Amino acid sequence: SANLTEKKVSSVVFCGAETIAAGYHDGTVAVFSFKDNKLTEMEKVKDKYSHTKAVKKLRWNNGYLASCSDDHSVRVFKLTLN
C-alpha cells in the first residue's frame, strides 16, 4: 500500500468517492485510490509538469484536477478514474 505522507503533504482533495489527490511541498502531485481502507498510488504527475514550489491548493471538477502553487502557477490535469 502507498504512503500518502511519505513526503510533506501541503494539500489534499477527494476526486470522487474512492480517489484522493495530494499536493506536496516539493511541488509534486500524486493520485491515490482508496478502497477497503487501503491506499494505493494510481498516478504521479510527471516531473516536467510539477510545480517548482509547494502546492498550496487542489481542486477537482468534472474529471479535471487543478493545482496552484507558491511558484505562482496553475496546472490543470485531465484524470480518468476507473
Side-chain angles (χ1 to χ4, degrees):
S1 89
N3 184 354
L4 181 65
T5 60
E6 186 175 279
K7 299 188 288 183
K8 225 173 158 183
V9 177
S10 55
S11 184
V12 294
V13 66
F14 277 93
C15 308
E18 297 180 332
T19 307
I20 299 170
Y24 295 95
H25 277 275
D26 67 0
T28 58
V29 175
V31 181
F32 297 86
S33 169
F34 185 69
K35 292 182 184 177
D36 301 322
N37 248 4
K38 184 178 177 187
L39 198 61
T40 307
E41 187 171 15
M42 296 169 54
E43 186 173 343
K44 183 176 179 181
V45 174
K46 290 183 170 67
D47 285 341
K48 68 180 180 177
Y49 300 118
S50 293
H51 294 280
T52 58
K53 294 188 179 177
V55 174
K56 297 308 285 182
K57 191 162 263 200
L58 296 168
R59 292 284 185 198
W60 170 255
N61 188 16
N62 249 2
Y64 291 91
L65 177 66
S67 62
C68 65
S69 167
D70 276 343
D71 67 9
H72 306 288
S73 69
V74 174
R75 306 274 195 266
V76 180
F77 309 96
K78 173 79 172 142
L79 295 180
T80 304
L81 305 178
N82 296 333

